[in-house]
Amino acid sequence: MATLNDCRERDAQDPLRALREHFMLPEGLVYLDGNSLGVLPRAAPARMAQAVGEEWGRGLIGSWNEAGWYALPTRVGDKIGRLVGAAPGEVVTTDSTSVNLFKVLSAALSMVAQDAPGRRVIVSERDNFPTDLYIAEALCRERGFTLRLVDEPDALADALQPDVALLMLTQVNYRTGALHDMAQLSAQAHACGALAVWDLAHSAGAVPVDLHAGGADFAVGCGYKYLNGGPGAPAFVWVHPRHVDRFWQPLAGWWSHAAPFEFTPGYQPAAGIARYLCGTPPVLSLTALECGVDTVLAAEPLGGMAALREKSLALTDLFIALVESRCAGHGLSLVTPREHARRGSQVCLARAEGAYAIVQALIARGVVGDFRAGDAARGREDILRFGFTPLYLGFEDVWQAVEQLVQVLETGEWRRPDFNRKQAVT
Amino acid sequence: MATLNDCRERDAQDPLRALREHFMLPEGLVYLDGNSLGVLPRAAPARMAQAVGEEWGRGLIGSWNEAGWYALPTRVGDKIGRLVGAAPGEVVTTDSTSVNLFKVLSAALSMVAQDAPGRRVIVSERDNFPTDLYIAEALCRERGFTLRLVDEPDALADALQPDVALLMLTQVNYRTGALHDMAQLSAQAHACGALAVWDLAHSAGAVPVDLHAGGADFAVGCGYKYLNGGPGAPAFVWVHPRHVDRFWQPLAGWWSHAAPFEFTPGYQPAAGIARYLCGTPPVLSLTALECGVDTVLAAEPLGGMAALREKSLALTDLFIALVESRCAGHGLSLVTPREHARRGSQVCLARAEGAYAIVQALIARGVVGDFRAGDAARGREDILRFGFTPLYLGFEDVWQAVEQLVQVLETGEWRRPDFNRKQAVT
């Protein structure tokens, strides 16, 4: 079993180690929650001060042209495109993941209604991130479609019947960290005559994604997780070029217009992905997002997403091995798939009791993960969730996290009442 | 006619003069474009540095609770509520004006479809801000409604026929600065059996608004104009309490759920205005917006919106008088209504030729207004648009603006070729 010294040696030999310098990691903190909110990029404070003080403060309205605000959604979109296998001009950053999902589902359902009006079902997983299900539910209600939810990924193939319009999946599950095979599932959807809509919230910047090779028709993703874009960072949206000009999306705000500054009363959608913009985008949040995306692009000369993926799997392999050897007998069970091809960049541990309090006790010891509630009715235990961002985490961090977990379990300190009081958001 | 010394004396006696200290106005600039992008609040750079460096950088995920990020949309919403006659808990800030308009129109059309299914028309003005018309057009297409646009405000009364579902208006016109009588028009809509939807983009923070007394049913508004919230600041949304719990809006993201952190697969809308949230809001942009809203609330001890309105009218009265006396014979005509009750906080001048170049020449002289294209087919000339934010503008600013306009016209320097080259955004 790996020792602390082994871990330190692996860090010393890690070719990606220098990327950690792109972040402002609080001293002494082992931050395993980058799958919820990525760490502050070192460049962000000065860049934000410039955007606020110079661009807004001095440039004022002129900064739409002179500081490049107008181009931000496409400029940052193109950068994200490099991480997910999209060509320049195929991605824009704007609005939230939920809003962008509404746009792509709306357009996709319009396409299906025209091309294959008998198809009235959206297939997804009951364990998909809830906002995806809520948005789909709302659109099903509006448009007369039905949501067909499966309980296990293995059931997806059977659910893809001839009545299916869309397969809508999140590539990496937010609770379990299980990774779908995008190419295989997109192909199954297409074979059944359906379109494939992918949410990359937990995969963009975390695992290699190739939307074209993966057969995706539409995709959205989140800016504030592995893209390190800051709290509530704008999200991104991609549409396959063969679909993008076929339909409007109904959030037809002026930024999606072919000529927004002509101020004409009739709507004409812009060509290409710009028609998936809507209103004026939040420039300051987009500026922070650009700093975050740049931290991921900084890995390009070092092997890019493939190198990050290799390190991510090494980190999660190590975490799993250390937990299974050092915490044996403490009631933790591995939820995340052991197989590399089915694992994202996080590890989830289930426990029948005390998961919330153990997470709190770990936070008090400087190891930040998070908690996700189980579902007793479906036999799902509560979960301790640990995200591993290879950009700023090392092997010693993994060792320290497990060391603190051992302490929390062996001392029983998680039973303290203050670790059992829930807060509004966790 | 007022002299420069008269203007300086009015500034010296202006009880609101000290409010200018809440802003970082670039030295020597006369900024008459706060109706497009408000000036940087003096508090914003330090507050943003804290949000970035401390809250995001050090607090990380814990800042959702500890830095109050979770409460931002309602906290800032309540502050805006004080400026538009809404009670605490009736307003949230999130998304863009376009997205929020989509939400309220969707909910309003659902209400009408249930209460009065024969009503299939949305009435608005052809001169309404285009994004409002585009969003309405998209929803009409989706839901089988028709958009009925009038060419002049006087034609609204006739357009309110028994087939009308909604009257959708922007209270202050973005081109002309004409101010609608909200109470009268809402009453006319209600008398005809329709609902009244108001866009406050150019009125929140600019003129006194009382949504309850004004008979509004739904309202949205912009954060980056007179609320000084920064480029692309999130917008706000208000729904009358008698309607708010009746219907979902279809952008049913997890933040609009009754229990977002229970992560349940089925959608249950939150009670009250929280159901008009959608995805995770852009925290950094919301933080800047709060600084901006605080600059308007700083006027409360000095008489609040009523005092700001009095000064705004004094500024626009002075501008009109000076332009009409000093620029006579130069082809400018007043577009903005002269009558106080029909004027917002801006003044627009039409000119048959050269409006764009004159605006550019003024900018080169440090007087920032903006240009809006006319519509030859409808006999509308191009417009020079000047916004007057009483929080940071004084009477001497007005004098200087007109002085530079006189110079630009008398020298003919606006005919220089570089003043006639259009940029992407103006």
Side-chain angles (χ1 to χ4, degrees):
Chain A
M1 182 46 50
T3 66
L4 175 55
N5 273 340
D6 295 338
C7 293
R8 288 179 174 158
E9 195 153 318
R10 290 181 78 172
D11 282 335
Q13 291 166 4
D14 173 11
L16 303 182
R17 184 66 175 173
L19 294 173
R20 189 181 176 102
E21 297 309 312
H22 290 284
F23 296 90
M24 299 187 76
L25 272 167
E27 191 76 34
L29 197 72
V30 177
Y31 189 69
L32 306 181
D33 216 357
N35 51 344
S36 187
L37 174 66
V39 166
L40 175 66
R42 189 171 296 278
R47 180 70 189 91
M48 291 301 285
Q50 180 191 36
V52 172
E54 297 298 316
E55 295 176 13
W56 177 12
R58 300 196 152 269
L60 284 160
I61 195 70
S63 289
W64 280 106
N65 289 306
E66 284 142 36
W69 289 349
Y70 189 57
L72 263 176
T74 46
R75 187 172 80 224
V76 183
D78 282 350
K79 288 184 174 186
I80 293 174
R82 284 151 63 180
L83 302 173
V84 297
E90 289 183 5
V91 175
V92 287
T93 50
T94 185
D95 297 323
S96 65
T97 309
S98 303
V99 169
N100 287 329
L101 186 65
F102 185 89
K103 296 172 189 169
V104 301
L105 291 182
S106 296
L109 293 178
S110 296
M111 279 178 53
V112 170
Q114 180 168 315
D115 298 348
R119 295 175 174 273
R120 308 302 292 173
V121 172
I122 298 177
V123 167
S124 192
E125 293 179 280
R126 201 176 306 281
D127 283 333
N128 198 344
F129 189 70
T131 210
D132 298 58
L133 301 179
Y134 303 158
I135 294 288
E137 183 181 344
L139 270 165
C140 284
R141 221 167 77 137
E142 298 260 322
R143 306 271 191 109
F145 283 73
T146 306
L147 199 52
R148 180 179 297 156
L149 300 180
V150 303
D151 278 303
E152 298 295 341
D154 292 347
L156 285 168
D158 279 349
L160 289 168
Q161 298 298 317
D163 58 355
V164 175
L166 310 179
L167 173 63
M168 175 191 84
L169 293 173
T170 299
Q171 191 184 14
V172 175
N173 186 276
Y174 79 105
R175 282 180 86 250
T176 65
L179 169 68
H180 281 304
D181 184 331
M182 182 187 285
Q184 184 184 45
L185 284 160
S186 296
Q188 286 175 7
H190 293 163
C192 133
L195 298 168
V197 179
W198 289 96
D199 181 343
L200 308 179
H202 288 265
S203 41
V207 300
V209 177
D210 188 331
L211 287 165
H212 283 278
D217 294 291
F218 297 86
V220 298
C222 177
Y224 53 79
K225 299 178 186 295
Y226 294 95
L227 297 181
N228 309 307
F236 64 91
V237 53
W238 171 87
V239 177
H240 195 287
R242 75 174 170 273
H243 304 314
V244 72
D245 287 330
R246 283 197 58 198
F247 283 88
W248 287 20
Q249 52 86 14
L251 289 170
W254 65 313
W255 277 62
S256 72
H257 194 276
F261 292 92
E262 298 290 321
F263 300 100
T264 51
Y267 184 69
Q268 287 296 331
I273 195 65
R275 70 174 58 185
Y276 283 78
L277 297 171
C278 180
T280 312
V283 167
L284 299 178
S285 285
L286 268 177
T287 300
L289 173 59
E290 184 164 31
C291 294
V293 175
D294 285 342
T295 65
V296 192
L297 294 179
E300 282 187 341
L302 303 170
M305 285 308 307
L308 289 170
R309 174 64 169 165
E310 187 183 350
K311 180 173 169 187
S312 158
L313 287 169
L315 293 170
T316 53
D317 275 347
L318 176 66
F319 183 78
I320 293 169
L322 286 172
V323 165
E324 292 190 334
S325 69
R326 300 195 60 202
C327 305
H330 282 291
L332 295 170
S333 59
L334 181 67
V335 174
T336 304
R338 215 174 284 274
E339 189 189 338
H340 282 182
R342 295 191 52 226
R343 189 195 305 163
S345 198
Q346 71 182 48
V347 176
C348 297
L349 306 171
R351 198 169 192 277
E353 181 203 10
Y356 180 84
I358 293 168
V359 167
Q360 297 307 309
L362 279 171
I363 290 171
R365 285 170 168 269
V367 176
V368 179
D370 61 23
F371 163 82
R372 288 293 177 264
D375 182 349
R378 297 173 60 217
R380 280 167 167 57
E381 291 177 339
D382 288 349
I383 272 181
L384 298 83
R385 195 175 74 146
F386 302 98
F388 292 85
T389 304
L391 287 168
Y392 49 76
L393 290 173
F395 297 91
E396 182 175 346
D397 293 318
V398 174
W399 198 92
Q400 294 293 358
V402 178
E403 171 63 24
Q404 299 306 319
L405 179 58
V406 170
Q407 300 279 337
V408 164
L409 292 168
E410 290 188 349
T411 61
E413 72 190 35
W414 60 272
R415 295 182 189 278
R416 271 172 38 189
D418 55 321
F419 291 142
N420 286 272
R421 273 194 295 274
K422 292 204 185 175
Q423 290 188 285
V425 188
T426 56
Chain B
M1 183 45 50
T3 65
L4 174 56
N5 272 341
D6 294 339
C7 293
R8 288 179 172 156
E9 194 153 317
R10 290 181 78 172
D11 282 335
Q13 288 167 6
D14 173 13
L16 303 183
R17 183 69 175 170
L19 294 172
R20 190 180 176 104
E21 297 308 313
H22 290 283
F23 296 90
M24 299 186 76
L25 272 167
E27 191 78 34
L29 198 72
V30 177
Y31 189 69
L32 307 182
D33 215 358
N35 51 343
S36 186
L37 174 65
V39 167
L40 175 66
R42 188 171 296 278
R47 180 70 190 92
M48 292 302 286
Q50 180 191 37
V52 172
E54 297 298 314
E55 296 176 12
W56 177 11
R58 301 197 151 267
L60 283 161
I61 194 69
S63 289
W64 281 105
N65 289 305
E66 284 143 38
W69 290 348
Y70 189 56
L72 262 176
T74 45
R75 187 172 79 226
V76 183
D78 282 351
K79 287 183 174 185
I80 293 173
R82 284 152 62 183
L83 301 173
V84 297
E90 290 183 4
V91 175
V92 287
T93 50
T94 187
D95 297 324
S96 64
T97 309
S98 303
V99 170
N100 287 329
L101 186 65
F102 184 89
K103 298 172 188 169
V104 301
L105 289 182
S106 295
L109 293 178
S110 295
M111 279 179 52
V112 170
Q114 180 167 315
D115 297 349
R119 295 176 175 272
R120 309 302 292 173
V121 173
I122 299 177
V123 167
S124 192
E125 295 178 278
R126 200 175 310 280
D127 283 332
N128 198 345
F129 189 70
T131 211
D132 297 58
L133 300 180
Y134 303 159
I135 294 287
E137 182 181 345
L139 270 165
C140 283
R141 222 167 78 137
E142 298 260 319
R143 307 274 190 105
F145 283 73
T146 306
L147 199 51
R148 178 180 298 156
L149 301 180
V150 302
D151 278 303
E152 298 296 341
D154 291 347
L156 286 167
D158 278 350
L160 288 169
Q161 297 298 317
D163 58 354
V164 175
L166 310 179
L167 172 64
M168 176 190 85
L169 293 172
T170 299
Q171 192 184 13
V172 175
N173 185 277
Y174 78 106
R175 282 181 85 251
T176 64
L179 168 67
H180 281 305
D181 183 331
M182 181 187 285
Q184 184 186 42
L185 283 160
S186 296
Q188 285 175 6
H190 293 162
C192 132
L195 297 169
V197 179
W198 289 95
D199 180 343
L200 308 180
H202 288 264
S203 43
V207 300
V209 177
D210 188 330
L211 288 165
H212 283 279
D217 294 290
F218 298 86
V220 298
C222 177
Y224 52 79
K225 299 178 186 295
Y226 294 95
L227 297 180
N228 308 309
F236 65 90
V237 52
W238 172 87
V239 177
H240 195 287
R242 75 174 170 272
H243 304 314
V244 72
D245 287 330
R246 284 196 59 198
F247 283 89
W248 289 19
Q249 53 85 14
L251 289 170
W254 65 313
W255 277 62
S256 73
H257 194 275
F261 293 92
E262 298 290 322
F263 299 101
T264 51
Y267 184 69
Q268 287 295 330
I273 194 66
R275 71 174 56 185
Y276 283 79
L277 297 170
C278 180
T280 312
V283 167
L284 298 178
S285 285
L286 268 177
T287 299
L289 173 59
E290 185 165 30
C291 294
V293 175
D294 284 344
T295 64
V296 191
L297 295 178
E300 283 187 341
L302 302 170
M305 284 309 307
L308 289 170
R309 173 63 170 165
E310 188 183 348
K311 180 174 169 186
S312 157
L313 288 170
L315 293 169
T316 51
D317 275 346
L318 175 65
F319 183 78
I320 293 169
L322 286 172
V323 165
E324 294 191 333
S325 68
R326 300 196 58 203
C327 305
H330 281 291
L332 295 170
S333 60
L334 180 68
V335 174
T336 304
R338 215 174 281 276
E339 190 189 337
H340 282 182
R342 296 191 52 224
R343 187 194 309 163
S345 198
Q346 70 182 48
V347 176
C348 296
L349 305 173
R351 197 168 192 277
E353 182 204 9
Y356 180 83
I358 294 168
V359 167
Q360 298 306 311
L362 280 171
I363 291 172
R365 287 171 166 268
V367 176
V368 180
D370 60 23
F371 163 81
R372 287 294 177 263
D375 184 347
R378 297 174 61 219
R380 280 166 168 58
E381 293 178 335
D382 288 349
I383 271 180
L384 298 84
R385 195 175 75 145
F386 302 98
F388 293 86
T389 304
L391 287 167
Y392 48 76
L393 289 174
F395 297 92
E396 182 175 346
D397 293 318
V398 174
W399 198 91
Q400 294 292 357
V402 178
E403 171 63 26
Q404 299 306 318
L405 180 57
V406 169
Q407 300 280 334
V408 163
L409 293 168
E410 291 188 350
T411 61
E413 72 191 35
W414 59 272
R415 297 183 188 276
R416 271 172 38 190
D418 56 321
F419 291 142
N420 284 275
R421 273 194 295 274
K422 290 201 186 180
Q423 291 189 284
V425 188
T426 56

